[in-house]
Amino acid sequence: MLPTLPFDPSYVLIGGTWRPTADTLPLVNPSDGSALCEIARSSEADVDAAVTAAHSARDGAWCKMSALERGRCLTRLGQLVLEHTDLLTTLETLDVGKPATQARADAIALARYCEFYSGAADKVHGETIPYLDGYTVYTLREPHGVTGHIVPWNYPMQIIGRSVGAALAMGNACVLKPAEDACLTALMFAYLAKEAGFPDGALNVVPGLGSEAGAALARHPGVHHLSFTGSVQTGKTIQMLAAENVVPVTLELGGKSPQIVFEDADIDAALPFLVNAGLQNAGQTCSAASRILIHRRIYDTVAARMADAYRAKIIGPASNDPDIGPLISTKQKTRFETLLKAAHDLPCIAETPMPDDLPPNGAYVQPRLYGPVPSDHPMAQDELFGPVQVLIPFDTEEEAVKIANGTIYGLVAGVWTESGARQMRLAKALKTGQVFINNYGAGGGVELPFGGVGKSGHGREKGFEALYSFSILKTVAARHG
Ligand code: NAD
């Protein structure tokens, strides 16, 4: 059952006021299929009102706040997020079906983003540029104005933190469109932002369908920058809509990320990262390590140990805090199971046991480990967004790099080797936005710029890079003689 909330979850927050929409959508708990509540089905008019409110904030109180004061708002917001970690954890557990420990980690990451960007708000400098005699030239970093944030359901809190947190730090007014499958923590975040003292309209939240509220936000001529995380297909649509208004867009679109295990790797250290990076959040992670490339000399050992780990995992309702919860929805379950049919000709070497008492209407799927898998097989090329990994043997470093770079994606890669020279070579050779050496994900640090190449998208969020993305560089050239 949904805990009591300090706002009506079927409302939108526009210009600091909670208000109903003409229509609503049902929100479902994916752990058992039960109805949680109704949420807003924002229309084009609601989105337009949110953009207008954001403009008012940009032209009014929000615009007048100094970087220091913006930072202090974010400091208070981070503190409030920490104080409400239990509630945010419960909401994400119910809404996303995310096991409680993983949901709690997301809430703490959200607080960390607020802390990081609170401290960074007044530390983004322009520069002076030596120029002709009689001139003084300098640059200013200014906010875009109104930024649109279209967020998916897999890591709502983390993605809101990295994108809205950075945009607010730079003084943008934000319109946030959370996913229709998971929007409760977005609403709670907006409630806390109001409590933290952000002026009305600095952060507006309009839940609703992608094809309605999402598309209305992406094509709105009053939006000056778009940040999108989700599928490649929707990312393309959003880039085309952004092109109509000639506004910049940051796209984070997922991947088919490899971890490469060389024969000299510390297998004990690697093992938890190899498995958990595929199964965390039931595999619904853009940077999931869905391909494990293993040197042929150690292939059997690593495959056997990963298979044991799969068999030892526990599946269950998210509130029981298992290793693996359900997928986000029965729609995603159907999509995943359809894509998984491609594996019919592959050896499945391990499955996680499915308990008999799983709620029948939950969106559970069985985690599966396949190997050896040819690197050009659809299961080694397509993003399934579920708890499945493929093992790919290789013989040489050159071959490993070729396989790792051989998909349409390029989000992250992991390399396990004790050879320093090989570490350096691979860090350069891998065509991804992040390379992890003898780890995978580096604990998700908010400080670390993140984003992809190829069909994984473009632009960077997290770290200071996000502050540059969420601002415009203006050059001022003063001729004074
Ligand atoms: P999606 O891309 O359709 O949805 C993501 C967000 O975009 C949601 O907020 C949605 O409402 C919005 N959206 C959808 N259509 C839109 C449109 N036409 N205009 C504007 N906004 C729109 O993703 P999905 O259907 O929820 O999931 C499908 C697949 O996308 C997944 O299986 C997975 O492969 C991928 N995905 C990737 C990530 C990631 O982190 N990279 C996250 C979620 C989904």
Side-chain angles (χ1 to χ4, degrees), residues 74-401:
L74 279 162
T75 301
R76 287 192 293 274
L77 180 52
Q79 190 56 41
L80 285 170
V81 169
L82 281 180
E83 286 166 18
H84 291 82
T85 303
D86 287 347
L87 178 56
L88 288 163
T89 301
T90 303
L91 294 179
E92 207 76 316
T93 301
L94 292 169
D95 200 359
V96 179
K98 187 170 290 206
T101 300
Q102 295 173 40
R104 184 170 298 277
D106 285 2
I108 289 166
L110 175 59
R112 271 294 295 136
Y113 279 111
C114 295
E115 290 163 354
F116 180 83
Y117 287 120
S118 69
D122 60 356
K123 294 170 189 65
V124 181
H125 303 151
E127 56 185 7
T128 53
I129 301 174
Y131 194 54
L132 302 175
D133 187 36
Y135 280 84
T136 297
V137 181
Y138 59 95
T139 57
L140 296 172
R141 283 249 162 225
E142 297 182 336
H144 290 282
V146 172
T147 51
H149 305 259
I150 300 175
V151 168
W153 38 260
N154 55 344
Y155 287 85
M157 286 194 274
Q158 295 221 28
I159 295 168
I160 289 168
R162 78 183 189 207
S163 120
V164 173
L168 289 172
M170 290 311 297
N172 298 284
C174 303
V175 179
L176 168 61
K177 208 301 279 175
E180 51 272 46
D181 292 306
C183 66
L184 294 178
T185 49
L187 293 168
M188 186 65 199
F189 180 72
Y191 170 81
L192 295 176
K194 196 166 151 56
E195 294 286 293
F198 281 89
D200 292 347
L203 173 57
N204 308 275
V205 186
V206 279
L209 296 173
S211 56
E212 296 175 359
L217 182 59
R219 67 170 171 258
H220 199 294
V223 174
H224 305 118
H225 179 286
L226 283 164
S227 162
F228 171 76
T229 303
S231 62
V232 174
Q233 197 178 340
T234 308
K236 284 182 190 172
T237 305
I238 286 179
Q239 179 147 3
M240 284 192 279
L241 292 170
E244 282 296 317
N245 291 320
V246 197
V247 295
V249 53
T250 303
L251 298 179
E252 204 275 87
L253 308 178
K256 192 74 182 175
S257 296
Q259 291 198 57
I260 310 172
V261 193
F262 285 94
E263 68 274 31
D264 64 342
D266 179 342
I267 298 175
D268 289 335
L271 200 71
F273 290 89
L274 299 180
V275 175
N276 295 339
L279 298 183
Q280 181 180 313
N281 200 27
Q284 302 166 114
T285 305
C286 51
S287 55
S290 46
R291 296 183 295 155
I292 307 295
L293 282 50
I294 308 168
H295 192 277
R296 205 175 296 278
R297 226 172 281 147
I298 56 165
Y299 178 86
D300 288 343
T301 306
V302 175
R305 293 189 62 181
M306 285 187 71
D308 286 345
Y310 262 66
R311 291 185 205 105
K313 292 285 177 196
I314 294 172
I315 302 181
S319 52
N320 293 356
D321 202 16
D323 299 313
I324 302 164
L327 297 189
I328 182 70
S329 61
T330 46
K331 182 177 149 211
Q332 271 301 116
K333 176 178 154 127
T334 304
R335 177 187 176 277
F336 172 78
E337 288 175 342
T338 305
L339 288 171
L340 195 63
K341 286 185 184 150
H344 67 93
D345 56 346
L346 294 175
C348 177
I349 61 170
E351 294 173 340
T352 301
M354 299 289 271
D356 294 335
D357 58 353
L358 283 178
N361 295 327
Y364 300 95
V365 296
Q366 185 162 36
R368 289 199 173 91
L369 183 63
Y370 291 92
V373 175
S375 61
D376 58 353
H377 192 281
M379 287 289 293
Q381 292 287 320
D382 300 336
E383 186 185 46
L384 273 81
F385 232 59
V388 63
Q389 288 173 292
V390 297
L391 308 183
I392 306 172
F394 67 87
D395 291 299
T396 64
E397 180 181 317
E398 194 184 17
E399 185 191 2
V401 169

